Every structure is written in C-alpha cells, then in structure tokens.
Amino acid sequence: MRADDTHLRDLMRAAQSGDGRAYGSLLTEAAPIIRRAVAGRWRGPDAEDIVQEVLLSVHGVRHTYDPARPFVPWLLAIVQYRVADAARRHARRAARETSECGFAHGLPEVAAPVAEEGPGDPQLLARALADLPEGQRRAVQLLKLEERSLKEAAAATGMSVGALKVAVHRGIKALRAKLTGREGEE
Amino acid sequence: MRTEDLIARLVAQAAPVRVLPPPSARLLLWFALALPAVAVVTLAMGLRQDLALRLGEPVFLLRLGASLATAVAAALAGLALGVPGRRRAWALAPLLPLALWLLSLGRQCLLEIRGEAAAELLTGPHLHCLPDIAVMMGLPTIAMAIMVLRGAGLRRRLELALGGLAAAALSNAALSLAHPVDAGLLVLLLQGGVVAVLALGMGRDASLTESR
C-alpha cells in the first residue's frame, strides 16, 4: 500500500502541475480504490454514482492535496464525506416518498392521490419537451426528470452551473406556457 | 455516464492548480496580514494609560496569553479542517486556551459581583468603541474567511466558526492593550453574530466539486 501511495502521490503531484496523462493514470488507478472504499461504507443503490461524485470532488479540490503527505488518506476522507452526502440524500428522498401499499395487505381502498396540478398528459409533456431548444431540454431532463444535482448535470453536459440554472428556468417557463396554452384551447 | 467517460472528461480539464500550502504556512500568512491591521487600529486608538501597570498583573498576562493562544489554535484548526485527511481532533485544539480565557472572564465577573474588583466587565458595553472594535476585527475576519473558502469545505461551518474565533481572540488581545476595560465579552458576542451570518451565507458543507 505504501509503494502504491508513493506512486499515486507522484501522479497527483504531476496532475497538479497540469500533466493530463498523469492525471488520467491517477484517476484510473484511484477509481478501484474508491470503488472498494464506497462498497465498504455504502449498502444503498447507485454506488457507482458515488464513485463518480468522488472523482468529481477529487477534481474540484485537487489543489488541497499536499504532495508531502500520503495520498490515500486524503482520497478516503473525500470518499467518507461523499458517502455521508449520499446517505443524507437517500434519507431525504426516502422521507419524501410515500410508502408503497404492500399487496400482502390487499389493494388500497382509496385511489392514489392526484397531483395538485392534475394528472396531466404525459404525451403532451413529451412533445412539449421535445420542442424545447437542446440546452433547455437537456437541463430539464437531467435536473428535473432524472433529479441529478447541478454539478452532475454540469459534468454531463459541459455547461456551467449558472448556464444550467438559466436553461432549466427558461425550459420550465416555456413548458408551462406551452402546456397551459394548449389546455386553454381544449 | 460511464466512469471511464467521466475520467476522460476530467482529464480534458486538467489545468495546473495553485496548491494550498500546509495549514502552518497559511497560519503565518494570516498573522502576517492580520497583525499589522490590528496593530494599526490599536495604535490609532492609543495604548491604555495603565498598560505598564496591567502588564505586571499575572491575571492580565494570563488573559492576554490565553487570548493569543486561542487565536493561534483556532486559526490552525480552522485551516487544517479544510484539508481532506486531516484529523477531526484539530477542532479540539482551541478548547484549552479558550477555556482559560473564558475562566479568567468568569473570575473577573465574579469578583466584580462581590465588589472585590473595580467594575470592568459588568459596566455595560462601551458602545462608542464598537466602530473601533468592528474595524479591528474586520480584516482578520475577512482574511480568514477567504482562506477558509480556499479549503475543501468538508466541515465549512465549523471551519468558519473556528476562523471567526481566531479573529475575535486576536482582536481581543490587541484591544486589551488599548481599551481601558476588558471588551472580551463584547468582542465574542459581536463576532458570534458575524460568524453566524458568514456560516449562513457561505457555510454549506462539502462544496467539494466547485472548481477553483
């Protein structure tokens, strides 16, 4: 592990100087270490998403690594915080979701709650979404439908966080205008 | 997105970065910025007339030393906690000097309540000194906040709280050389408010993915 750490430390030092090849090797060699560490701490779904979040974090804070110190503890500290983040997100999401009715207790006697804005028309929504400009469509798709974070969406699209916020805002506004306009015609 | 694709994307953005110096070096940098600032304000306020007398009192020296030690320990802790992999125990570093400082304030309050010491802490806040105190704490607090924000932000609220404590302790030490009465409580209360605002505004933890 020590020799491994020295190798990773050298790669990180080179990466901090802008050496892309060293950076690629570092991230490729670090990925299995991250994967193992995540597996040891996380029993929930989407473990590979956490691995990717750790890689994004490593990229974002690589300036905080001190080449005079071991690399792996620095990396594992980021893993630890990313897993804790994921656990918090998971708990929040679980708290928001209403529990499913188990078939063991029979079918529910009441109908599923209707959304406040009405059931809507999925096909109409899909058509309206397809009509949006590419940037807005991608932003709405990633942030609203897939519920990805701004940072994940930024990494996936190459857009800045600010541009994504603007695109999703305009996209939702355009969707609302289209849907309410058509509903008015019917 | 596949992890391999993400790595390729990150490698394409592998620009050189300015490496964060070790916490001890950043502590020295903070002192190099903050000390001249508090010294200038202290001299502008004027040294207290009884300074020579007070410097001969062990309790005054203890309070001054504890305040300075709190500044060093809290600043070091706040800066160290912003680096992934540093021990969480750093957060405990300022506890001992802070306890000494607070105990000396408590002792002073007790003596004043019993009438065994001249009213100092319990005379009510010297509100006319607030602008001087705010100016004195301003630069150390701003410098520390900027330095904390350069870190990884794993425990940002705690880092900001420790940094704010460091600025308050340093300002208090300087104030005790100029202000006719001890302003420690006022400094701590004022800085507590400032740090709370900072923590609300910039204190989101684990902002790890922001590029710098």
Side-chain angles (χ1 to χ4, degrees), chain A residues 16-18 20 23-24 27-28 35 48 52 55-57 59-66 69 73-74 77-78 80-82 85 151 155-158, chain B residues 1-3 6-7 9-11 13-20 22 82-86 88 150-152 154-155 204 206-212:
Chain A
Q16 286 176 324
S17 309
Y23 193 34
L27 295 181
T28 305
R35 212 165 274 131
E48 194 62 18
Q52 294 192 5
L55 288 169
L56 282 165
S57 300
H59 181 72
V61 301
R62 64 194 188 280
H63 69 288
T64 65
Y65 172 66
D66 179 355
R69 296 174 64 85
W74 179 85
I78 295 176
Q80 186 183 341
Y81 277 89
R82 272 301 173 216
D85 263 2
K151 282 161 191 163
T157 59
Chain B
M1 182 190 283
R2 292 186 318 136
T3 302
L6 175 66
I7 289 175
R9 196 183 281 265
L10 294 178
V11 168
Q13 302 167 20
V17 289
R18 198 156 54 90
V19 177
L20 206 62
V83 179
R86 295 278 179 165
R88 289 183 199 178
R150 277 268 295 156
L154 300 175
R155 316 166 182 97
R204 204 166 62 88
S207 54
L208 284 168
T209 55
E210 285 169 14
S211 298
R212 291 176 178 87

Side-chain angles (χ1 to χ4, degrees), chain A:
Chain A
M1 174 60 96
R2 187 161 185 80
D4 187 35
D5 194 276
T6 307
H7 173 58
L8 293 173
R9 191 189 304 189
D10 292 341
L11 288 175
M12 185 55 155
R13 188 183 293 125
Q16 286 176 324
S17 309
D19 182 339
R21 185 176 292 180
Y23 193 34
S25 302
L26 173 79
L27 295 181
T28 305
E29 291 182 33
I33 300 174
I34 297 169
R35 212 165 274 131
R36 277 198 301 275
V38 169
R41 293 169 166 83
W42 178 252
R43 297 280 175 265
D46 307 326
E48 194 62 18
D49 284 356
I50 301 176
V51 173
Q52 294 192 5
E53 285 175 9
V54 173
L55 288 169
L56 282 165
S57 300
V58 166
H59 181 72
V61 301
R62 64 194 188 280
H63 69 288
T64 65
Y65 172 66
D66 179 355
R69 296 174 64 85
F71 175 79
V72 173
W74 179 85
L75 179 67
L76 293 182
I78 295 176
V79 171
Q80 186 183 341
Y81 277 89
R82 272 301 173 216
V83 170
D85 263 2
R88 275 194 294 270
R89 260 200 325 269
H90 190 68
R92 273 200 302 269
R93 200 170 293 169
R96 276 204 308 268
E97 286 171 356
T98 51
S99 58
E100 291 178 19
C101 299
F103 289 110
H105 300 99
L107 290 171
E109 291 178 4
V110 292
V114 178
E116 283 179 17
E117 295 179 0
D121 181 344
Q123 289 182 347
L124 198 62
L125 177 64
R127 278 203 300 276
L129 195 60
D131 286 345
L132 288 179
E134 174 66 14
Q136 292 179 15
R137 190 182 60 74
R138 288 275 285 156
V140 172
Q141 177 76 33
L142 292 171
L143 294 170
K144 297 297 178 188
L145 301 184
E146 296 180 17
E147 294 187 336
R148 297 224 208 154
S149 72
L150 276 166
K151 282 161 191 163
E152 289 167 345
T157 59
M159 293 166 75
S160 70
V161 168
L164 273 172
K165 284 182 181 173
V166 171
V168 79
H169 175 73
R170 289 182 179 162
I172 293 292
K173 204 172 164 184
L175 279 179
R176 186 174 292 135
K178 280 182 190 200
L179 294 174
T180 52
R182 288 190 184 187
E183 278 170 4
E185 290 165 15
E186 283 171 2

